């Protein structure tokens, strides 16, 4: 049996008080390679807490998180950061691009601590931009691009290190409906190509693209089977 990309074993996160706030109650979840999962829930339900835990941006107060079979709860900050850089690509609602760096340079930043030769990094960055349909805009500045194009650069940056997990936080939140539809089409294509995708969203139209839907309410995870995209 293949090792899951994500395995949560009673994972929990409580913020200290007073009174203590249980943002994620003990949760069990398995996400396999090539899966496509949406996480939905109202504001304050625990979506952001789960995102930060899955992205190794925060540490749990209970339970275990295994990423590609590796128990991340045993890692120190430096090792967690290194693992995140190698195994996880994160796409945020706000694109977080440097305005005065080209598309290619923004993607290259994700390889800042990569020991591969510069020529190989350049080729990988150009290839990632080509994969999201922006191979012709390598030298474009974010200030000259549409919101949809800027988000595609952010996705290319997340993909450039060929991560095990593509983690998207409200990826269509700053886009118009046409750009949002095009972006979701791109995520569908990436999933069809084998990428494991988890999308945090409040938008039912975005969640409908996933094969599985996880709902979080008051820090409790539950699952229903989605229609999927294909």
């Amino acid at each position: 049996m293949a090792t899951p990309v994500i395995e949560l074993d009673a994972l929990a996160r409580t913020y200290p008080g007073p009174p203590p706030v249980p943002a994620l109650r003990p949760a069990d979840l398995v996400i396999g390679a090539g899966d496509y999962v949406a996480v939905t829930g109202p504001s304050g339900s625990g979506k952001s807490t789960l995102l930060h835990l899955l992205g190794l941006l925060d540490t749990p107060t209970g339970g275990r998180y295994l990423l590609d079979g590796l128990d991340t709860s045993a890692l120190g900050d430096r090792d967690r950061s290194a693992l995140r850089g190698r195994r996880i690509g994160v796409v945020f609602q706000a694109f977080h691009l440097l305005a005065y760096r080209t598309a290619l340079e923004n993607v290259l930043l994700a390889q800042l601590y990569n020991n591969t030769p510069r020529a190989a990094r350049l080729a990988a960055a150009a290839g990632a931009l080509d994969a999201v349909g922006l191979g012709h805009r390598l030298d474009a500045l974010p200030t000259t691009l549409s919101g949809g194009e800027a988000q595609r650069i952010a996705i290319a940056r997340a993909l450039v290190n060929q991560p095990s997990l593509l983690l998207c936080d409200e990826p269509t939140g700053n886009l118009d409906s046409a750009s949002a539809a095009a972006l979701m089409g791109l995520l569908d294509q990436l999933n069809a190509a084998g990428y494991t995708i988890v999308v945090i969203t409040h938008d039912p139209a975005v969640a409908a693209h996933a094969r599985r839907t996880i709902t979080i309410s008051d820090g409790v995870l539950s699952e229903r089977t989605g229609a999927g995209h294909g």
Side-chain angles (χ1 to χ4, degrees):
M1 186 174 178
T3 301
V5 173
I6 290 173
E7 187 172 0
L8 307 186
D9 176 16
L11 193 76
R13 181 66 167 98
T14 296
Y15 295 106
V21 178
L24 180 67
R25 298 178 188 273
D28 298 323
L29 178 65
V30 175
I31 296 176
D35 219 339
Y36 192 167
V37 178
V39 178
T40 67
S43 245
S45 61
K47 293 196 306 294
S48 294
T49 296
L50 182 62
L51 169 82
H52 286 114
L53 291 171
L54 294 181
L56 298 178
L57 300 165
D58 193 10
T59 53
T61 51
R64 297 191 307 155
Y65 169 23
L66 278 67
L67 177 65
D68 288 337
L70 180 65
D71 187 354
T72 65
S73 55
L75 301 178
D77 287 345
R78 182 183 296 242
D79 288 336
R80 289 167 63 83
S81 295
L83 184 64
R84 183 173 61 247
R86 291 195 311 271
R87 304 279 182 95
I88 302 173
V90 185
V91 179
F92 294 100
Q93 176 176 341
F95 316 129
H96 295 309
L97 301 178
L98 296 182
Y100 299 106
R101 295 288 186 95
T102 66
L104 185 66
E105 288 169 335
N106 268 283
V107 175
L108 277 169
L109 287 172
Q111 304 178 88
L112 197 57
Y113 302 107
N114 192 322
N115 292 325
T116 55
R118 178 171 172 78
R121 296 200 307 271
L122 282 168
L129 284 164
D130 190 53
V132 301
L134 288 177
H136 61 299
R137 303 302 304 272
L138 302 185
D139 297 324
L141 295 174
T143 50
T144 69
L145 300 173
S146 69
E149 288 173 324
Q151 190 60 295
R152 284 171 181 262
I153 294 175
I155 290 175
R157 182 180 58 196
L159 293 177
V160 71
N161 292 324
Q162 297 184 316
S164 302
L165 172 65
L166 183 60
L167 187 58
C168 303
D169 181 21
E170 301 282 5
T172 63
N174 286 337
L175 304 181
D176 60 62
S177 57
S179 296
L183 185 78
M184 293 312 300
L186 172 61
L187 290 182
D188 291 350
Q189 291 169 24
L190 292 172
N191 178 246
Y195 281 99
T196 305
I197 299 177
V198 175
V199 179
I200 311 289
T201 184
H202 69 279
D203 186 342
V206 171
H209 284 253
R211 293 194 180 92
R212 299 168 60 191
T213 300
I214 307 292
T215 300
I216 184 165
S217 180
D218 296 325
V220 177
L221 295 188
S222 57
E223 180 168 2
R224 66 179 176 79
T225 302
H229 58 76

